């Protein structure tokens, strides 16, 4: 999903990161929540999403984790049906393939 953010001229990050930012996001739930890089939407006054079919919707920042550098976006309307499935540690078995998104929180989780 393409992300287009507009940031006010007087925002603290405007000089460094610009007032118009572009990034990508991945859908992580069936109801349309998306993960993106946090700096692309930091202090944004408007966030617009566009899917592969050219459909566009406005979005809001639902959560922003500064330690990991990711943000969770909620679109006004769901723009996709395919999403990245997530799993709990309890559902994993030895030999399973997985990808991990994590912050340096000094916690360990045996698999």
């Amino acid at each position: 999903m393409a992300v287009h953010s507009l940031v006010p001229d007087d925002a603290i990050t405007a000089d460094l990161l610009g007032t118009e930012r572009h990034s990508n996001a991945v859908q992580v739930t069936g109801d349309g929540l998306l993960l993106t890089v946090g700096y692309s939407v930091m202090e944004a006054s408007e966030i617009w999403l566009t899917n592969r079919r050219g459909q566009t919707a406005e979005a809001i920042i639902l959560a922003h984790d500064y330690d990991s550098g990711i943000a969770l976006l909620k679109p006004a309307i769901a723009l996709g049906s395919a999403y990245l499935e997530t799993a709990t540690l309890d559902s994993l078995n030895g030999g399973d393939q997985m990808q991990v998104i994590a912050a340096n929180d000094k916690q360990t989780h045996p698999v």
Side-chain angles (χ1 to χ4, degrees):
M1 197 88 49
V3 179
H4 180 206
S5 303
L6 301 175
V7 177
D9 292 333
D10 61 349
I12 294 170
T13 59
D15 286 341
L16 181 61
L17 299 175
T19 58
E20 190 169 336
R21 304 176 192 166
H22 300 274
S23 64
N24 293 292
V26 62
Q27 186 170 325
V28 293
T29 65
D31 61 353
L33 296 181
L34 298 130
L35 275 180
T36 191
V37 290
Y39 72 84
S40 68
V41 296
M42 186 181 299
E43 298 185 281
S45 57
E46 291 182 46
I47 302 168
W48 293 92
L49 306 169
T50 305
N51 66 14
R52 292 177 299 180
R53 294 182 300 270
Q55 297 168 313
T56 301
E58 194 166 9
I60 61 167
I61 301 170
L62 193 60
H64 195 151
D65 181 29
Y66 295 95
D67 290 336
S68 67
I70 60 175
L72 185 63
L73 304 178
K74 180 178 182 179
I77 59 169
L79 291 175
S81 57
Y83 60 94
L84 178 67
E85 292 188 38
T86 57
T88 64
L89 288 174
D90 296 340
S91 68
L92 297 174
N93 297 306
D96 287 350
Q97 291 185 357
M98 66 177 190
Q99 294 182 343
V100 177
I101 299 173
N104 187 9
D105 61 6
K106 297 182 177 131
Q107 295 179 351
T108 59
H109 302 287
V111 177

